Amino acid sequence: DPKIIQKPKYLVAVTGSEKILICEQYLGHNAMYWYRQSAKKPLEFMFSYSYQKLMDNQTASSRFQPQSSKKNHLDLQITALKPDDSATYFCASGDWGKDTQYFGPGTRLLVL
Amino acid sequence: GEQVEQLPSSLIVQEGASVLINCSYTDSASVYFPWYKQEPGKRLQFIIDIRSNMERKQNQRLTLLFDKKTKHLSLHITATQPGDSAIYFCSASEGGSALGRLHFGAGTQLIVIP
């Protein structure tokens, strides 16, 4: 669904650096999410935001910080990157009363 | 917390065959169960869902069965086509909200041979 945009599509970073993953949705949804998919683990929830406020947080590490500058934006800042952070990060959005979460195309992050 | 298990991990079938993917969950408070399909390198695509007050839902060649008592779901795909080849994920929305965090199974890779 091209109405959820994630940038960049691919990202290569060095250990210790910092990166920001961008997510914008044009579905008019008021809830947004980040999920991570890696070779070692199944798809796992990271954060959810509703009306630009943190709703739920599964990520233990403070190196992962979501940032919501607008209602339809939920970026993910990752600091002090580690090789274990290598994964595909999916943004999703949903609307209260309509159940379904829709996913973006993902950002594939490789940390060397 | 919620745990979702999915079997089998992979299926290889001839075009036209039917397949069954099984899924179980642990949290009896979960009320909403969406399924997604993921082709290589692509986004998760929503395909069908069911709420805990239903037993069955059909969407064209997809039929989703739900058993609240046993906490078990099964996705039946009939008349498979090569375009159905993908990884299929079962998920459960945590707690009583359909927009809660989704817990995913490990996925079932379906390969349909022409």
Side-chain angles (χ1 to χ4, degrees):
Chain A
D1 186 338
K3 292 183 180 175
I4 302 179
I5 297 167
Q6 287 190 246
K7 293 185 272 193
K9 189 170 182 179
Y10 301 100
L11 194 52
V12 179
V14 294
T15 297
S17 66
E18 171 183 316
K19 293 293 179 187
I20 295 180
L21 281 56
I22 306 291
C23 177
E24 306 169 5
Q25 56 90 4
Y26 296 94
L27 293 164
H29 291 166
N30 44 46
M32 294 185 72
Y33 308 78
W34 279 101
Y35 290 85
R36 174 169 53 190
Q37 185 179 41
S38 68
K40 296 178 186 176
K41 294 183 181 179
L43 272 157
E44 53 178 349
F45 168 83
M46 298 180 73
F47 298 98
S48 62
Y49 266 61
S50 178
Y51 295 101
Q52 293 186 266
K53 291 187 180 174
L54 183 66
M55 194 164 55
D56 195 4
N57 176 4
Q58 175 62 23
T59 305
S61 173
S62 59
R63 296 187 301 108
F64 295 85
Q65 290 293 327
Q67 299 171 344
S68 180
S69 59
K70 297 181 191 177
K71 181 185 157 187
N72 67 328
H73 281 231
L74 186 64
D75 300 337
L76 181 64
Q77 180 185 37
I78 315 175
T79 57
L81 279 160
K82 303 177 180 180
D84 263 357
D85 297 331
S86 298
T88 300
Y89 291 80
F90 288 102
C91 174
S93 70
D95 209 24
W96 293 105
K98 293 184 183 175
D99 290 350
T100 309
Q101 293 180 30
Y102 294 93
F103 283 75
T107 291
R108 196 164 180 174
L109 172 65
L110 176 64
V111 183
L112 303 174
Chain B
E2 174 74 278
Q3 292 189 38
V4 177
E5 290 194 2
Q6 201 173 329
L7 289 170
S9 58
S10 64
L11 280 169
I12 302 175
V13 299
Q14 207 72 35
E15 182 175 2
S18 295
V19 298
L20 192 69
I21 301 172
N22 294 293
C23 176
S24 61
Y25 66 99
T26 56
D27 188 353
S28 55
S30 293
V31 297
Y32 177 66
F33 305 88
W35 286 67
Y36 293 85
K37 168 185 174 183
Q38 186 182 33
E39 295 171 33
K42 300 263 180 94
R43 73 183 70 225
L44 276 81
Q45 178 190 349
F46 168 78
I47 55 174
I48 194 168
D49 59 0
I50 198 163
R51 281 193 154 263
S52 57
N53 58 357
M54 300 173 68
E55 293 180 352
R56 184 180 189 274
K57 190 169 185 180
Q58 185 168 0
N59 180 5
Q60 299 182 322
R61 294 184 294 109
L62 305 177
T63 301
L64 185 54
L65 301 177
F66 177 71
D67 187 331
K68 192 172 182 176
K69 232 182 241 182
T70 61
K71 299 194 190 71
H72 184 263
L73 299 95
S74 54
L75 177 67
H76 189 217
I77 308 174
T78 58
T80 53
Q81 304 164 0
D84 295 330
S85 296
I87 301 176
Y88 289 78
F89 291 98
C90 168
S91 69
S93 183
E94 183 165 288
S97 169
L99 286 189
R101 62 170 78 176
L102 293 178
H103 295 269
F104 286 88
T108 296
Q109 176 153 34
L110 172 63
I111 297 171
V112 181
I113 301 169

